[in-house]
Structure formats: C-alpha cells, structure tokens
Amino acid sequence: MLQEEQSLLPAAGTSSGTSSVNRSYYASGKGLGLITTIFFVIGEMAGGGILSLPAGVVQMGWIGSVIIVAIAAVSGYTGVLLGRCWQFLLQQWPDEYMAQHVRHPYPSIGERASGIWASRVVAILIDITLFSVSTVFLLIVSENFQCLFGDKVHYRIWIIIVAAVLVPATWLESPKDSWWIATIATIATSIAVVLVLAILIANGKDDTSVESEVTFQSFCLGFAIVAFAFGGHASFPTYQHDMADTSKFGLAVMIGYGVILTMYVPVSAIGSELLRNNTAGNILGSLSSNSAPVQHASVAVTWLFSIHILFGYVLVSNPVSQDLERVLNIPNGFGLRRVILRTVQVMASLGVAQGVPCFTKILSLIGGTTVMLLSYIFPSLFFLQLSSKLGHFVPFHEVVINYIIIILSLVTMAATAYSAIYAFITDSCTFPTVKC
C-alpha cells in the first residue's frame, strides 16, 4: 500500500512546521462541519452495530451491558487520540497534509509514528476491515429485504440486487461529497431505535426463552461483537481530514459516542433481557408479533435500518476505494477508471457475501482481530510515539492509561481472535432461513 516513493512521508526538501504554502484544501472552507461529522461518526457505526449487540450481550451474560459502556469509553478515548495524532501531522508538516486532498490519513499517522512498516500494516488492515464491514452490511440488507418481500426472491438473489443498487452510490469521491448520506442514515436509525424499544416492550418477555450458558468461547465472541460495534476508527482520520476545522474532531467523537450509547445500551439491555437465548444474530429477526400495530412498526424498523445500512455501505467502502486509487495512481475526480475500480470492489464484496453468508461470523472475526488493532491498540501506540518524537508533553497518568489500553487490548485480541477463528472454521455457514 505504498506510493511510487515507497513512503507516505514528504519528499526531501519539504518543509515542516510553519510554511508559506497555499494550503488550498483547507483554505476553501468547504469541508465538513461539526454536526455533519457527528452524523458520520454515528452513521458508520450505529446501523450494523446495534442490530448485533443484543446477541453479543446474551453471549457474555449479565455483565454484557457493563462491558458495552466500558468499551465505549475506551473506544471514544482512542478515537479522540487519533484526532490528536492527525492534528500533530497538520501542525508539523503543513505542506504535506494541508495543501491537497490526502487519501491515506491513517497510514500517514502510522508512518510518522512508527515508520514505513506501520503505514503498510495500517493500510492493509483498513482495507481488510472496511471491505469486511461492507460485506456484512450487504448481507444484513439482503436479509432485511427478504424479510420485507417474502421468500419469492432467494436470499442469494437479494445479495446481487442490493450490490447492483449500491454500485452508483460508491462513485462519490469522499465523505465531503456524501454528507447527506450520513445525515439520512443517522436520522433513520434514531427513529428505528425508538420503534425497536417500543416493539420489545409491547411484546414483553419471551416465555419460551431461557438463560444462555456463558462459556469462554461465547464470551469472547460476544466481546468481539461489541468491539466491532465501536470500531469505526478505520474511517475516522478520513472524516477528520475532510472537516473544515479539524481541531473539532475530538468533540465530534465525544458527542457522537454519547448519542450512540443512548441507542446501544437500551436496545441491547432490554432486548437481551426479554429475548435471552431466542435473540437472533440480527435483532430484527426477533421482533415478530401477532399484533397488527407491532407488525407494521416492525416493517417500518426494517426499512429504516436497511436505509441506514445501505448508506453505511457507501461510507465504509470509500476509504478502501481511495486507498486502491492511490496505489493504482487513479487521479482524483470522477472518471472511467474510478467507476471501473469501485464497481469491481462492490463485485468482490458480492463474491465474499455469496461464499460466506453468515454475517455474524465475519463480524466476530473482524471485531476480534483487525478492529482491535485499528481501534484500540494503534491509536494509543501512535499517540505515545508521535508525542515523544515531536516533544509534546503527555501527563504520566495518561501514559499509564495508554499502556494499560495497549496491554489489555493485546490480551483480549488473542482470546477473541482464537475464539472467532475457531468458530469460523468449525461452525457451518449456510444461507440462513430468514425469520421475520
């Protein structure tokens, strides 16, 4: 994932610090505002994450809701750290990062902090993570549509139809061109969450449900699902890069996470308590009822989440597209080469979805591996390294906190990765019978 110079660093002779260069990219004032960036933070994570969280809590047992809050706090903090790292780059190397559109902000952070190897690793992990997330989104929407329209069209066919619909939307250049997508996605999910809670409360406790046995493997898989639900960091530097005022990204993360928690905690806690072992991997599969009003509300919820996830696909696939275009030297701006590449990218996602149609397996695998690195380990590591290199003072307690995050994340990653890989290999994966 390298440029022709085999590095993301400025060429020799490029100045650092204050420079007289015309920083046209940020001087235009056409970047994302604070509110829109908040919508991007919410829009990327809330849709797919909230649908799988109740099942994740069931797998972890009574402590699941507590773990959600704890992971949210750590993930929000590391999200803010990534924003501070990008600010370091803008302040120290303005000629390189403020004068033009940067397609690779997160790998650039990695290289400035740890060297060329880090930029390579980060770029590869981002592509794997976001490609996998986009595939999960494709599977969820296809499952939702089969639920909405019945069994006349097979799940496998719905995957093809959804992929075809998504292709033109992926041709947008970058987040600043798709602000309306994030806005609609966030509004759709906010309404859907209220309806889901109303349906769960109206249906009451499932009398056929029992407490699920919590095992080491189930706990690790549930933990991976929660880690995934808060793992939007692969795209965070891209969103910050497109802001008109990048210094406000930390505030956007904090507000965004606050909103996400108001969605995640009630749905996961109430859903897991009322449904217990009957909680479907996709919570929408557990909202059936004989009541006509509840049925209508359930249909509305399915449509709203489908809208969010369709738009979410566009958001998470964009950084992958930009990285591939950088590698293949495809110029910025709309053109035939971009159309071909991004169409092929959607077709590749379609192929994986057809081969591995169980989205929870992909979700757990990614949540326990690449997401742990990109969202919990690298932000703390890169922040400490950049601060040391650039002479920024970091209070002792914050140094300790970051080392604790790194160590605990490494231990957790080992356990969750083992459990997810074992489940991926040993458990069968066939096209599901959609329950609505």
Side-chain angles (χ1 to χ4, degrees):
M1 299 294 179
L2 302 176
Q3 291 177 317
E4 298 85 348
E5 298 86 1
Q6 300 300 306
S7 173
L8 300 178
L9 298 181
T14 301
S15 62
S16 63
T18 305
S19 170
S20 60
V21 69
N22 175 21
R23 301 175 183 91
S24 57
Y25 188 78
Y26 288 103
S28 65
K30 296 180 180 179
L32 302 174
L34 174 63
I35 300 300
T36 307
T37 306
I38 294 170
F39 285 161
F40 270 100
V41 172
I42 299 170
E44 181 188 356
M45 294 191 292
I50 200 169
L51 295 179
S52 56
L53 269 184
V57 170
V58 169
Q59 289 178 291
M60 290 187 291
W62 64 269
I63 201 171
S65 296
V66 177
I67 290 177
I68 288 177
V69 177
I71 291 181
V74 174
S75 177
Y77 173 69
T78 56
V80 172
L81 289 185
L82 266 185
R84 292 167 70 180
C85 288
W86 183 246
Q87 287 300 109
F88 288 164
L89 267 62
L90 294 181
Q91 293 164 6
Q92 192 70 17
W93 298 280
D95 293 8
E96 174 73 2
Y97 302 114
M98 295 185 70
Q100 59 187 340
H101 177 71
V102 179
R103 286 172 163 173
H104 42 74
Y106 200 160
S108 295
I109 292 172
E111 183 164 3
R112 290 294 185 183
S114 299
I116 187 66
W117 70 269
S119 71
R120 296 177 180 178
V121 171
V122 169
I124 292 171
L125 290 178
I126 287 174
D127 289 349
I128 293 173
T129 300
L130 296 182
F131 178 81
S132 300
V133 172
S134 64
T135 302
V136 167
F137 284 1
L138 180 59
L139 288 168
I140 293 175
V141 173
S142 301
E143 182 177 309
N144 289 352
F145 281 178
Q146 188 178 22
C147 178
L148 288 168
F149 296 103
D151 297 330
K152 294 182 180 179
V153 178
H154 192 271
Y155 184 36
R156 185 187 295 270
I157 304 302
W158 273 118
I159 296 174
I160 298 174
I161 294 172
V162 172
V165 170
L166 285 168
V167 167
T170 64
W171 298 341
L172 294 169
E173 181 176 355
S174 69
K176 65 182 175 62
D177 302 308
S178 51
W179 60 268
W180 55 275
I181 289 179
T183 303
I184 294 175
T186 300
I187 293 173
T189 292
S190 300
I191 298 172
V193 165
V194 174
L195 291 176
V196 167
L197 292 173
I199 293 171
L200 288 171
I201 294 171
N203 285 344
K205 194 164 189 175
D206 188 341
D207 294 330
T208 66
S209 66
V210 296
E211 291 288 346
S212 295
E213 180 184 0
V214 179
T215 64
F216 175 79
Q217 182 176 1
S218 73
F219 184 90
C220 289
L221 293 176
F223 191 97
I225 289 174
V226 177
F228 174 92
F230 288 103
H233 298 54
S235 298
F236 281 2
T238 302
Y239 300 154
Q240 183 182 14
H241 169 270
D242 279 0
M243 291 183 73
D245 184 354
T246 57
S247 65
K248 294 182 178 180
F249 182 74
L251 179 60
V253 169
M254 289 187 286
I255 296 175
Y257 269 69
V259 174
I260 290 171
L261 270 178
T262 64
M263 299 179 182
Y264 279 5
V265 173
V267 171
S268 60
I270 295 174
S272 60
E273 174 62 25
L274 295 180
L275 300 170
R276 293 190 288 186
N277 70 313
N278 287 336
T279 305
N282 179 345
I283 186 64
L284 299 184
S286 302
L287 299 182
S288 58
S289 172
N290 294 325
S291 168
V294 172
Q295 289 177 355
H296 294 322
S298 180
V299 170
V301 166
T302 305
W303 270 112
L304 288 167
F305 273 120
S306 297
I307 291 170
H308 179 126
I309 297 170
L310 279 170
F311 288 153
Y313 182 101
V314 178
L315 299 182
V316 301
S317 66
N318 186 272
V320 181
S321 302
Q322 292 194 58
D323 187 54
L324 293 175
E325 288 164 1
R326 173 180 62 83
V327 172
L328 298 174
N329 293 317
I330 296 176
N332 285 325
F334 186 82
L336 179 60
R337 293 174 67 189
R338 170 195 284 182
V339 169
I340 294 174
L341 174 66
R342 298 193 181 192
T343 301
V344 170
Q345 183 180 332
V346 176
M347 294 303 101
S349 181
L350 167 63
V352 174
Q354 294 284 1
V356 188
C358 306
F359 77 85
T360 52
K361 294 184 69 173
I362 301 175
L363 187 151
S364 296
L365 181 61
I366 297 302
T369 54
T370 62
V371 168
M372 291 299 296
L373 287 166
L374 291 172
S375 299
Y376 303 94
I377 297 172
F378 284 165
S380 288
L381 177 63
F382 293 163
F383 172 73
L384 292 177
Q385 290 178 323
L386 278 172
S387 297
S388 177
K389 285 185 176 182
L390 301 177
H392 290 279
F393 173 74
V394 180
F396 177 75
H397 73 275
E398 192 169 5
V399 174
V400 172
I401 289 172
N402 279 280
Y403 275 117
I404 291 174
I405 290 173
I406 293 170
I407 294 170
L408 290 181
S409 296
L410 285 170
V411 173
T412 303
M413 184 180 72
T416 55
Y418 169 79
S419 299
I421 292 172
Y422 181 82
F424 196 89
I425 295 173
T426 58
D427 295 347
S428 61
C429 182
T430 57
F431 282 91
T433 300
V434 180
K435 174 187 175 183
C436 305

